[in-house]
Amino acid sequence: MSAITDLSLAAMAAGLKARQFSAVEVAQAHIDAIARARHLNAFILETPEKALAMAAASDARLARGEGGALEGVPLGIKDLFCTEGVQTTAGSKILEGFVPPYESTVTANLWRAGAVMLGKLNMDEFAMGSANITSAYGNVENPWRRRGDNRPLVPGGSSGGSAAAVAARIVAGATGTDTGGSIRQPASLTGIVGIKPTYGRCSRWGIVAFASSLDQAGPMGRTVEDAAILLRAMAGHDPKDSTSVDLPVPDYAAALTGEVRGLKIGIPKEYRLDGMAPEIEALWRQGIDWLKAAGAEIRDISLPHTRHSLPTYYIIAPAEASSNLARYDGVRYGLRVAGDSLDALYEATRAAGFGAEVKRRVLIGTYVLSAGYYDAYYLKAQKIRSLILKDFTDAFREVDAILAPTAPSAAFAIGEKMDDPVTMYLNDVFTVPANLAGLPGISVPAGLTGDGLPLGLQVIGRPFDEATLFRAAHVIERAAGSFKPC
Amino acid sequence: MSIDHATVARVAQLARIRVAPEQREGLAAELSGILAWIEQLQAVDTDGVEPMASVVDRLLPERADVVSDGGIPEKVLANAPEAAHGYFVVPKVVE
């Protein structure tokens, strides 16, 4: 038998249910794998004792013939999710040592389904970044390397620890969050599957807030089926999040029929960027051919305001962040740096506690919301956001889903693409529109670059139609095969 | 739109983040670069377009106006950098 850690989450859950191995064995195999992969720096905090205790409880339930859909399955949790009694930092120094007295709804749902926690995964500070190089707890390394080049590469971000851990097979699956691409872009750069569900599908309660109108939690897994199983367990209505939607959660794995005949897939011409990498263009064409061969109808569509998405996002997200991050004041939790007055305490604490990218975004957000600029920036961005949503609404009258690349490039080395902040922001050019429109988007591995790095394709769908996304992604996955770092 | 040192200082004060004078120049350049890039939005025609505050196309739910939480001062104060007698402690704010 191959190593337990190589199994898909679905196979692991089935093996546990059939008692082929115990939850404690599965947890221990992963704890050992994590210890061997510390160079990736995927974890901010490992919780092996907790994992073994939770696994023992799972074994007891399994022995009684009980247990949930994820009974005994070991997961990594992005360090943006509050976990009761376990340090939660959001990748920031300002939250070092913060131990939440409550559990986020999404993680509570996962534990209720029987999942086991391996620890808290590294991420860009407050989820602000696309390369996992802004964490106060160090950079995360991608388990993939370019062929013939030993330089470490970034895993993408902000859910970089989650992506690296899933790809390196040191967790069976992981949680991520996606405000502008933070699940899908790292999934693409590490050769795994990640879905940002519809805004409102998963509760945001207990997740450290970045931009509340855009943030959404979602799963990251090695297969489409794994992501489907995880999302079913994570999602659902929560009265504690007034934007969480009271709709039934379907059995997403049951949607994986391999059947897309008659499904209308839109190809947005505005996503064909000038100077697009030929490999990305070829991959997109390949995806179109796979779906066509499986019986889908391909239609050209137009999303004319899509090209305004990134600058719109970089007004709205920092504006909301500047408001959300006002709570880090050195008084109620987290870091405190002394000052002569209360204002001096605030200013010193926030200067020492926030990293450069977070400060930049809080300052931009404060500026665009300040008197005299609010209408010109924030209100303007909210209007363009309406236009971006309208483009999608119009398109979904003609098509059932949209196919596009996930990211404009494969994984890059630290130092590349880092000339200025805007160059880094361009990583999210294909992912941000779905956040602004609140739509679900999935990234599925679809091929390798010439130098052997994974690339993903993205399927965007109608609100709450994640099932169609999984179905289409599953067809791409079956055609493309799976990808594993050496 | 270009941001100068004085604007950086003013915005930093609004955001309650101390920015040392020698850091203002670098930040002014970075923030100006970001704003120059954002400036392209001014060319988009948004006449008659309603601003969007939320993508959730339904009314916020209501619930009974009753206390549903509380009575947990120890938990509330558990992460405080400094607490005493059931309160958060801050530097003196009233003379």
Side-chain angles (χ1 to χ4, degrees):
Chain A
M1 197 180 81
S2 63
I4 286 175
T5 50
D6 264 334
L7 295 173
S8 70
L9 179 149
M12 217 179 285
L16 282 157
K17 213 140 260 158
R19 317 285 307 278
Q20 287 167 7
F21 33 72
S22 71
V24 167
E25 283 175 77
V26 172
Q28 192 61 54
H30 284 88
I31 291 166
D32 295 344
I34 290 167
R36 286 193 299 270
R38 292 227 169 90
H39 61 281
L40 298 176
N41 198 29
F43 281 84
I44 290 176
L45 181 71
E46 297 171 16
T47 56
E49 294 88 7
K50 191 172 178 73
L52 291 170
M54 290 174 90
S58 284
D59 280 331
R61 281 191 289 273
L62 288 163
R64 294 195 298 269
E66 300 167 8
L70 296 172
E71 201 62 59
V73 171
L75 304 177
I77 301 299
K78 186 179 185 180
D79 208 22
L80 204 62
F81 292 81
C82 286
T83 40
E84 187 173 358
V86 177
Q87 177 187 262
T88 300
T89 69
S92 183
K93 195 177 160 196
I94 211 160
L95 276 175
E96 189 164 8
F98 172 64
V99 178
Y102 49 78
E103 187 78 28
S104 83
T105 299
V106 161
T107 48
N109 289 346
L110 289 169
W111 313 143
R112 201 180 53 212
V116 165
M117 178 161 82
L118 289 165
K120 303 299 292 288
L121 292 163
N122 206 341
M123 54 178 285
D124 279 304
E125 185 179 5
F126 285 108
M128 298 177 190
S130 305
N132 217 124
I133 54 168
T134 72
S135 169
Y137 304 90
N139 300 338
V140 176
E141 212 177 273
N142 193 324
W144 291 81
R145 299 273 168 103
R146 288 182 186 126
R147 199 173 294 130
D149 182 345
N150 216 27
R151 272 179 305 168
L153 304 175
V154 304
S158 70
S159 311
S162 303
V166 171
R169 281 131 174 96
I170 61 177
V171 299
T175 62
T177 60
D178 190 315
T179 304
S182 283
I183 287 174
R184 291 161 288 160
Q185 185 257 10
S188 179
L189 269 53
T190 57
I192 65 165
V193 178
I195 181 167
K196 181 201 92 74
T198 313
Y199 185 82
R201 182 73 287 184
C202 290
S203 169
R204 292 180 294 107
W205 194 82
I207 301 173
V208 175
F210 163 14
S212 302
S213 79
L214 301 162
D215 297 344
Q216 185 57 204
M220 304 172 81
R222 289 190 287 270
T223 69
V224 172
E225 185 184 19
D226 289 0
I229 293 168
L230 282 169
L231 180 59
R232 191 186 187 194
M234 291 166 69
H237 178 238
D238 176 14
K240 287 188 284 197
D241 172 5
S242 60
T243 61
S244 112
V245 171
D246 194 1
L247 286 174
V249 181
D251 182 352
Y252 296 117
L256 306 180
T257 55
E259 182 56 76
V260 290
R261 261 178 297 175
L263 199 70
K264 296 186 203 66
I265 304 283
I267 309 300
K269 63 175 185 210
E270 290 81 6
Y271 279 57
R272 206 161 279 131
L273 302 177
D274 292 341
M276 191 168 184
E279 285 183 323
I280 304 285
E281 177 112 43
L283 181 86
W284 196 8
R285 198 166 301 280
Q286 176 70 76
I288 293 169
D289 290 344
W290 283 329
L291 288 170
K292 204 190 280 181
E297 288 175 32
I298 306 297
R299 302 259 177 99
D300 287 325
I301 59 165
S302 175
L303 300 168
H305 294 92
T306 236
R307 65 198 169 92
H308 306 305
S309 292
L310 263 186
T312 300
Y313 175 85
Y314 275 97
I315 292 173
I316 292 173
E320 294 185 13
S322 72
S323 170
N324 274 326
L325 271 58
R327 73 191 68 184
Y328 304 103
D329 56 6
V331 173
R332 290 160 298 165
Y333 34 71
L335 182 74
R336 165 180 287 196
V337 176
D340 307 337
S341 65
L342 191 55
D343 270 332
L345 179 151
Y346 293 153
E347 292 184 349
T349 297
R350 291 161 65 82
F354 291 148
E357 181 61 24
V358 171
K359 284 180 191 167
R360 237 181 334 254
R361 296 207 198 180
V362 169
L363 292 174
I364 283 281
T366 304
Y367 181 78
V368 300
L369 290 177
S370 64
Y373 298 103
Y374 181 90
D375 286 4
Y377 290 109
Y378 190 64
L379 200 66
K380 183 82 180 175
Q382 283 186 307
K383 289 178 179 177
I384 298 172
R385 194 174 175 189
S386 294
L387 294 172
I388 290 165
L389 174 62
K390 185 178 178 299
D391 284 355
F392 279 106
T393 308
D394 291 346
F396 282 125
R397 287 202 190 95
E398 291 172 41
V399 299
D400 302 307
I402 293 168
L403 181 73
T406 305
S409 76
F412 43 93
I414 290 167
E416 295 173 356
K417 298 195 177 212
M418 293 171 193
D419 314 338
D420 65 272
V422 173
T423 309
M424 182 61 79
Y425 297 168
L426 295 176
N427 272 293
D428 295 332
V429 65
F430 298 129
T431 46
V432 152
N435 297 82
L436 290 171
L439 301 171
I442 190 168
S443 179
V444 57
L448 297 177
T449 62
D451 49 9
L453 294 179
L455 291 169
L457 282 173
Q458 182 184 203
V459 186
I460 301 166
R462 294 191 180 104
F464 301 102
D465 192 16
E466 284 84 2
T468 296
L469 265 56
F470 283 122
R471 195 149 58 94
H474 182 55
V475 167
I476 294 172
E477 177 183 60
R478 293 218 296 206
S482 64
F483 305 94
K484 187 181 171 184
C486 310
Chain B
M1 180 65 66
S2 173
I3 288 191
D4 58 16
H5 295 200
T7 309
V8 169
R10 183 176 63 83
V11 173
Q13 195 268 328
L14 284 173
R16 300 293 189 275
I17 297 175
R18 179 172 296 158
V19 174
E22 65 271 18
Q23 295 171 325
R24 286 184 198 149
E25 180 149 342
L27 264 174
E30 280 176 5
L31 300 184
S32 295
I34 296 169
L35 285 172
W37 173 66
I38 286 171
E39 205 62 30
Q40 58 180 286
L41 296 181
Q42 300 310 325
V44 182
D45 180 3
T46 53
D47 283 353
V49 178
E50 282 294 311
M52 180 167 81
S54 169
V55 294
V56 179
D57 185 22
R58 52 189 77 200
L59 290 173
L60 282 177
E62 296 182 343
R63 65 168 176 83
D65 186 16
V66 293
V67 176
S68 59
D69 202 357
I72 48 166
E74 310 77 26
K75 281 188 168 187
V76 172
L77 294 171
N79 282 285
E82 197 181 346
H85 314 299
Y87 293 94
F88 295 106
V89 176
V90 296
K92 196 168 168 184
V93 286
V94 190
E95 288 305 323

